[in-house]
């Protein structure tokens, strides 16, 4: 299979884990990178084997050797730069969330359809065997009928000047980590009779940052009557990225479903037995890049496409509104 030829927008810390290391493991080419600070881009390129450093994000997008753009910029810059890449005919692997709000996500989706390119949103966890096993337990009936789902995304607070606290850059707990919990609930639609709907949401604002959620809790209801609970916070004492699925015959718990390379356990409890499975610490980002390449090269199904991204943003916006906050504003570049 011909290696993917990737251009990177920015030298964000996550880019090393999310694209550079997976590219090395899968044989993808890192063709070009640009950053606001050229020195950072040069250091990133030297560390990760990027072929060349360019002067601007647009130069990376316009590079004729680049076929796919990886966008790890601040949340508020996802939508605008995704649209720039699409306009240039480039496929996009974007960090989540793909846009600042559902209106912007719809623009990205529609532009991708019109241009005939692929937009993949970086909910990498869903490709890892940990999540695949959780879904398999439901699909095979080992847990019985779905009854309740608890998705928790809690982390210690970033520094006060971190862009994840910036309303204008589409920050907040839901946008940074809570989106994983909401997406994980949506991924259980096949066993819940369809997509879950929001029942209620409550949130707390960050001190001195009106409109920016420090925490948000949400209750969901599936069409078959199963319920979902989401708890997300960027003010926790320690990391808790866990997922619990409860059925009529048993339950399954993954203590680190979003970062399975740190803890790959799935604990299953049924009426008859309890056991722990280890699903492997290969990075979920590597599985994600493999899925992206398989789709582009062989037409393999893609779970986290632009339609899925739009549906997730609709749910995020609904959570904000029900909690008394506003969806994140769109950014301009």
């Amino acid at each position: 299979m011909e290696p993917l030829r990737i251009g990177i927008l920015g030298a964000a810390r996550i880019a090393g884990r999310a694209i550079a290391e997976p590219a090395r493991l899968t044989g993808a080419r890192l063709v070009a990178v640009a950053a606001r600070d050229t020195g950072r881009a040069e250091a990133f390129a030297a560390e990760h084997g990027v072929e060349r450093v360019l002067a601007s994000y647009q130069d990376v997008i316009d590079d004729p050797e680049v076929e796919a753009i990886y966008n790890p910029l601040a949340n508020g810059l996802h939508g605008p730069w995704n649209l720039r890449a699409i306009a240039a005919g480039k496929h996009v692997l974007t960090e989540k969330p793909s846009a600042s709000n559902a209106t912007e996500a719809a623009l990205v989706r529609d532009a991708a359809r019109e241009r005939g390119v692929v937009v993949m949103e970086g909910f990498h966890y869903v490709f890892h065997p940990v999540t695949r096993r959780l879904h398999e337990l439901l699909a095979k009936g080992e847990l019985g009928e779905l009854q309740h789902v608890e998705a928790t995304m809690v982390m210690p607070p970033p520094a006060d000047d971190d862009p994840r606290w910036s309303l204008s850059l589409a920050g907040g707990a839901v946008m940074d980590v809570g989106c994983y919990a909401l997406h994980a609930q949506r991924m259980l639609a096949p066993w819940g009779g369809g997509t879950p709907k929001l029942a209620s949401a409550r949130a707390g604002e960050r001190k001195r940052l009106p409109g920016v959620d420090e925490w948000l809790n949400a209750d969901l209801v599936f069409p078959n009557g199963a319920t979902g609970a989401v708890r997300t916070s960027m003010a926790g004492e320690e990391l808790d990225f866990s997922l619990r699925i409860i059925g009529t015959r048993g339950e399954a718990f993954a203590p680190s479903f979003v970062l399975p390379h740190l803890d790959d356990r799935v604990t299953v409890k049924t009426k008859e037995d309890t056991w722990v499975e280890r699903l492997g610490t290969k990075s979920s980002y590597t599985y994600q890049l493999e899925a992206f390449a398989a789709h582009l090269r062989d037409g393999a199904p893609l779970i986290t496409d632009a339609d899925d991204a739009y549906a997730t943003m609709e749910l995020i916006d609904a959570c904000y509104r029900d909690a008394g906050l506003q969806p994140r504003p769109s950014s301009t570049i």
Side-chain angles (χ1 to χ4, degrees), residues 12-22 48 70 259 261 283 285-286:
R13 181 173 49 197
I14 192 174
R17 299 194 308 271
I19 199 68
E21 181 66 10
H48 297 293
Y70 171 66
L259 298 176
H261 64 283
S283 167
Y285 290 110
T286 301

Side-chain angles (χ1 to χ4, degrees), residues 121-144:
E121 187 174 30
F123 283 113
H124 50 94
Y125 79 94
V126 79
F127 300 100
H128 195 277
V130 163
T131 296
R132 289 166 53 196
R133 178 58 175 149
L134 292 172
H135 292 175
E136 182 182 61
L137 288 165
L138 286 169
K140 291 186 173 181
E142 294 180 66
L143 302 181

Side-chain angles (χ1 to χ4, degrees), residues 186-262:
R186 288 190 54 252
M187 289 296 98
L188 299 179
W191 305 282
T195 303
K197 302 296 183 183
L198 178 68
S200 65
R202 304 152 303 284
E205 294 174 305
R206 182 71 168 171
K207 188 176 181 180
R208 294 186 295 275
L209 292 176
V212 178
D213 50 309
E214 182 177 80
W215 63 269
L216 184 142
N217 296 337
D219 298 313
L220 307 175
V221 178
F222 289 83
N224 71 351
T227 56
V230 165
R231 183 168 69 96
T232 184
S233 173
M234 288 204 301
E237 293 185 2
E238 57 186 20
L239 210 66
D240 182 354
F241 289 174
S242 62
L243 183 62
R244 185 184 304 275
I245 298 174
I246 302 171
T248 54
R249 293 184 56 196
E251 66 177 68
F253 178 71
S256 186
F257 79 103
V258 167
L259 298 176
H261 64 283
L262 299 180

